[in-house]
């Protein structure tokens, strides 16, 4: 039975029916559909558009349907056209004529525009909670390794000394921005389209603020055409989620590198890595690889949403039914990735000795060596040149700056003295990088405290 049956004489082709349906994916919005309908029914009663007794009956009926679906005693009929049709049909079969009054001053166009906002608001909250959980794990690890020296890289070449804690907190900054972007999108999305009706509002004396407030939205949308045809929030959220995936994917790439034999900076816990069916020695970082791979899905979802919307005339067009699978998939994917990624990070074993060895062999204190000469009064360019020659000499002799004897230093530049060994000590090099935002352990500890203060759960 279709809601729009009156106009048609012959039966709908099964092909059209299958092609047209959205129940397969919008049934997950049943809660939000019912919440929206309850708010709408109450407003109809408050405004005297239907009898109060009838609106009360409708609300009670809708609550019953929600409870029955939650309890598993009412199964959603997958033959219904969409979730809106199913709920209204079920209400009418329970209440008879009274149920038929629910759709007064409403259309599925403003109904679906509301449902998806309510549903995505919940998805956004679950996602930010997962991001906060990851942030708190990152803070814990960063605290533990706030003084663990490792090489910092540019061009994937060892560059200057940092700590593992500082490196982890770089990701924390990215995930903090991600939370901000999601919250920002949610704030803009939190206006109620209800009352836009099909596209042109209604002649009934509805109260749009009444429904908006009941649904915890701060206002109603200001134009009925825009109310039913705006899907900016899907795009904004998909873009924010795409950036989450960019960050997770870059992090995954580093995890994969770090657990290779070439780096061996970390080892993943057995519970979060997999083996090979043929090579007995293998321990693979599959979670990190899958997260890196799944980023493509989310970028695809964003592209799909932009493409669906770009050529649509106002107001509602059926193309917009395609919004749901894309944005649902983006949220499902990001939540799944975060759920696996966080415990993988939490349980990884950090091999600080290997990090320190890599730092010691990489001449990453060469800048500090040059700075030492500068502090003795030499212009930086000259100090840079002498230090470059010193590095070349070390390579020739198979030494590091730390192990090179003073005679070699002096042979290249008279101004070197014993003090240079302290100046190039890795812990000191890192410890003195106290410039705001720099890797000194003191900075890291202070930043962890700041981040923890921002977390809400
Ligand atoms: N299933 C539809 C969607 O997801 C609901 C809105 C239908 N409106 C309409 N005029 N056919 O977009």
């Amino acid at each position: 039975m279709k809601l729009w049956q009156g106009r048609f004489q012959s039966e709908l082709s099964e092909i059209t029916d299958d092609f047209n349906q959205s129940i397969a994916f919008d049934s997950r919005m049943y809660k939000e559909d019912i919440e929206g309908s309850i708010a709408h029914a109450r407003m109809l009663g408050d405004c005297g558009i239907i009898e109060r007794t009838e609106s009360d009956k409708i609300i009670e009926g809708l609550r019953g349907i929600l409870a029955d679906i939650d309890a598993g005693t009412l199964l959603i009929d997958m033959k219904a056209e969409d979730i809106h049709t199913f709920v209204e049909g079920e209400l009418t079969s329970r209440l008879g004529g009274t149920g038929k009054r629910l759709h007064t001053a409403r259309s599925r166009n403003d109904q679906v525009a509301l449902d998806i906002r309510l549903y995505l608001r919940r998805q956004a909250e679950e996602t930010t909670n997962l991001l906060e959980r990851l942030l708190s794990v990152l803070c814990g690890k960063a605290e533990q390794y706030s003084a663990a020296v490792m090489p910092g890289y540019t061009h994937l070449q060892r560059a200057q000394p940092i700590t593992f804690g500082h490196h982890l907190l770089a990701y924390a900054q990215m995930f903090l921005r991600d939370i901000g972007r999601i919250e920002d999108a949610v704030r803009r999305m939190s206006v109620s389209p209800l009352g836009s009706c099909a596209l042109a509002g209604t002649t009934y004396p509805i109260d749009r603020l009444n429904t908006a407030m009941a649904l915890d939205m701060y206002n109603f949308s200001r134009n009925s055409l825009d109310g039913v045809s705006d899907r900016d929030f899907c795009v904004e959220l998909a873009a924010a989620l795409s950036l989450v995936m960019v960050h997770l994917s870059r992090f995954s790439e580093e995890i994969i590198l770090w657990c290779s034999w070439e780096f061996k900076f970390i080892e993943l816990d057995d519970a979060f890595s997999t083996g090979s069916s043929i090579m007995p020695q293998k321990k693979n970082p599959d979670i990190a690889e899958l997260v890196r791979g799944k980023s493509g899905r989310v970028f695809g979802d964003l592209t799909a949403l932009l493409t669906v919307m770009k050529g649509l005339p106002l107001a509602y067009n059926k193309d917009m039914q395609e919004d749901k699978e894309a944005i649902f998939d983006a949220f499902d994917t990001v939540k799944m990735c975060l759920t696996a990624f966080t415990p993988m990070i939490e349980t990884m074993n950090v091999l600080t000795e290997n990090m320190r060895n890599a730092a010691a062999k990489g001449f990453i204190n060469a800048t500090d060596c040059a700075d030492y000469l500068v502090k003795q009064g030499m212009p930086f360019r000259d100090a840079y040149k002498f230090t470059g020659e010193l590095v070349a000499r070390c390579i020739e002799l198979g030494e590091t700056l730390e192990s090179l004897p003073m005679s070699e230093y002096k042979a290249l530049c008279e101004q070197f003295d014993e003090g240079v060994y302290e100046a190039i000590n890795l812990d000191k090099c890192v410890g003195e990088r106290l410039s705001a935002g720099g890797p000194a352990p003191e900075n890291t500890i202070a930043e962890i405290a700041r981040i923890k203060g921002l977390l809400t759960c």
Side-chain angles (χ1 to χ4, degrees):
M1 167 74 173
K2 293 284 173 280
L3 290 172
W4 34 268
Q5 216 169 30
R7 158 85 173 75
F8 291 80
Q9 270 142 31
S10 62
E11 275 294 304
L12 187 66
S13 134
E14 214 173 294
I15 297 170
T16 312
D17 208 13
D18 280 352
F19 191 59
N20 197 42
Q21 63 81 26
S22 55
I23 190 91
F25 48 86
D26 67 17
S27 56
R28 57 158 101 186
M29 304 192 304
Y30 75 90
K31 234 186 210 78
E32 290 75 17
D33 191 71
I34 294 174
E35 278 168 13
S37 289
I38 289 175
H40 180 66
R42 181 169 297 116
M43 183 279 290
L44 291 178
D46 288 349
C47 296
I49 297 167
I50 63 174
E51 294 290 327
R52 167 83 60 197
T53 49
E54 292 203 293
S55 82
D56 286 347
K57 253 197 235 158
I58 292 173
I59 291 168
E60 207 188 302
L62 288 166
R63 286 199 181 124
I65 294 172
L66 179 58
D68 292 349
I69 299 176
D70 279 342
T73 50
L74 173 63
L75 295 180
I76 296 173
D77 177 9
M78 288 297 154
K79 288 206 177 61
E81 185 179 334
D82 53 30
I83 190 62
H84 329 295
T85 312
F86 172 74
V87 172
E88 196 185 326
E90 180 64 26
L91 185 75
T92 304
S93 77
R94 291 185 182 200
L95 301 185
T98 302
K100 293 186 188 163
R101 297 198 187 275
L102 170 63
H103 214 51
T104 315
R106 189 176 71 166
S107 151
R108 276 187 298 164
N109 296 350
D110 57 348
Q111 192 177 352
V112 73
L114 172 75
D115 291 3
I116 189 162
R117 282 170 159 91
L118 296 177
Y119 181 81
L120 295 181
R121 189 164 68 176
R122 286 209 168 105
Q123 293 296 308
E125 197 188 332
E126 283 176 29
T127 308
T128 52
N129 286 347
L130 287 169
L131 282 166
E132 287 209 4
R133 170 92 191 93
L134 174 56
L135 277 165
S136 101
V137 165
L138 286 177
C139 283
K141 285 265 175 241
E143 198 163 3
Q144 198 178 347
Y145 298 107
S146 62
V149 173
M150 74 179 272
Y153 295 81
T154 60
H155 312 269
L156 206 55
Q157 302 287 320
R158 293 170 189 164
Q160 288 184 344
I162 56 166
T163 68
F164 191 54
H166 187 63
H167 198 114
L168 292 179
L169 285 196
Y171 285 102
Q173 302 302 330
M174 300 178 217
F175 296 125
L176 280 173
R177 288 197 295 275
D178 288 330
I179 291 177
R181 263 185 288 269
I182 293 172
E183 287 178 348
D184 198 33
V186 167
R187 198 173 36 77
R188 245 188 313 283
M189 175 177 77
S190 296
V191 289
S192 167
L194 267 194
S196 302
C197 303
L199 75 161
T202 180
T203 54
Y204 291 103
I206 56 171
D207 179 352
R208 295 193 61 199
L209 204 53
N210 177 313
T211 39
M213 293 297 132
L215 295 164
D216 202 19
M217 294 190 148
Y218 70 87
N219 212 337
F220 51 82
S221 55
R222 309 299 307 186
N223 179 292
S224 62
L225 293 172
D226 182 52
V228 290
S229 46
D230 169 28
R231 295 292 184 274
D232 289 2
F233 52 92
C234 294
V235 172
E236 283 189 53
L237 287 168
L241 294 175
S242 292
L243 275 170
V244 173
M245 290 308 292
V246 168
H247 300 147
L248 283 176
S249 185
R250 291 182 77 173
F251 204 166
S252 294
E253 170 66 12
E254 297 208 300
I255 296 288
I256 294 160
L257 284 174
W258 289 340
C259 53
S260 70
W261 282 101
E262 283 66 20
F263 275 81
K264 266 288 163 247
F265 284 2
I266 60 163
E267 201 185 330
L268 295 179
D269 192 84
D270 284 358
F272 294 96
S273 25
T274 52
S276 154
S277 58
I278 173 170
M279 296 166 282
Q281 83 284 12
K282 288 292 284 291
K283 190 169 170 188
N284 297 329
D286 282 25
I287 291 182
E289 290 169 65
L290 268 175
V291 168
R292 190 177 56 183
K294 281 181 191 290
S295 58
R297 292 177 69 111
V298 180
F299 308 158
D301 293 328
L302 171 62
T303 307
L305 285 162
L306 287 166
T307 313
V308 164
M309 294 309 294
K310 83 173 184 65
L312 296 187
L314 298 180
Y316 178 83
N317 298 270
K318 192 69 175 213
D319 316 43
M320 287 157 72
Q321 182 165 286
E322 290 291 310
D323 61 355
K324 283 169 228 48
E325 281 170 294
I327 192 65
F328 292 171
D329 180 69
F331 271 110
D332 291 348
T333 306
V334 168
K335 287 195 305 179
M336 202 193 320
C337 288
L338 286 168
T339 303
F341 194 84
T342 300
M344 177 189 75
I345 297 294
E346 194 170 19
T347 55
M348 73 184 174
N349 187 15
V350 182
L351 306 172
T352 50
E353 268 315 296
N354 293 350
M355 288 180 178
R356 179 172 284 271
N357 287 340
K361 287 190 195 130
F363 300 106
I364 62 176
N365 41 8
T367 316
D368 301 86
C369 183
D371 286 343
Y372 182 71
L373 290 177
V374 171
K375 279 172 197 156
Q376 314 282 86
M378 189 182 285
F380 181 76
R381 270 293 148 240
D382 294 336
Y384 175 94
K385 181 177 155 283
F386 281 127
T387 310
E389 287 168 9
L390 211 55
V391 168
R393 184 71 182 138
C394 284
I395 292 169
E396 204 182 315
L397 298 174
E399 301 282 354
T400 66
L401 287 173
E402 291 89 326
S403 63
L404 192 71
M406 187 41 60
S407 54
E408 291 289 342
Y409 274 94
K410 288 260 187 221
L412 265 168
C413 171
E414 257 309 310
Q415 271 152 284
F416 276 120
D417 57 32
E418 289 292 330
V420 73
Y421 292 114
E422 210 209 315
I424 61 169
N425 172 285
L426 286 175
D427 294 300
K428 189 170 172 292
C429 291
V430 164
E432 286 186 356
R433 285 182 144 75
L434 274 160
S435 53
E442 263 178 80
N443 283 358
T444 301
I445 298 298
E447 182 58 10
I448 290 167
R450 192 190 73 89
I451 295 173
K452 280 186 175 164
L454 296 173
L455 302 182
T456 56
C457 57

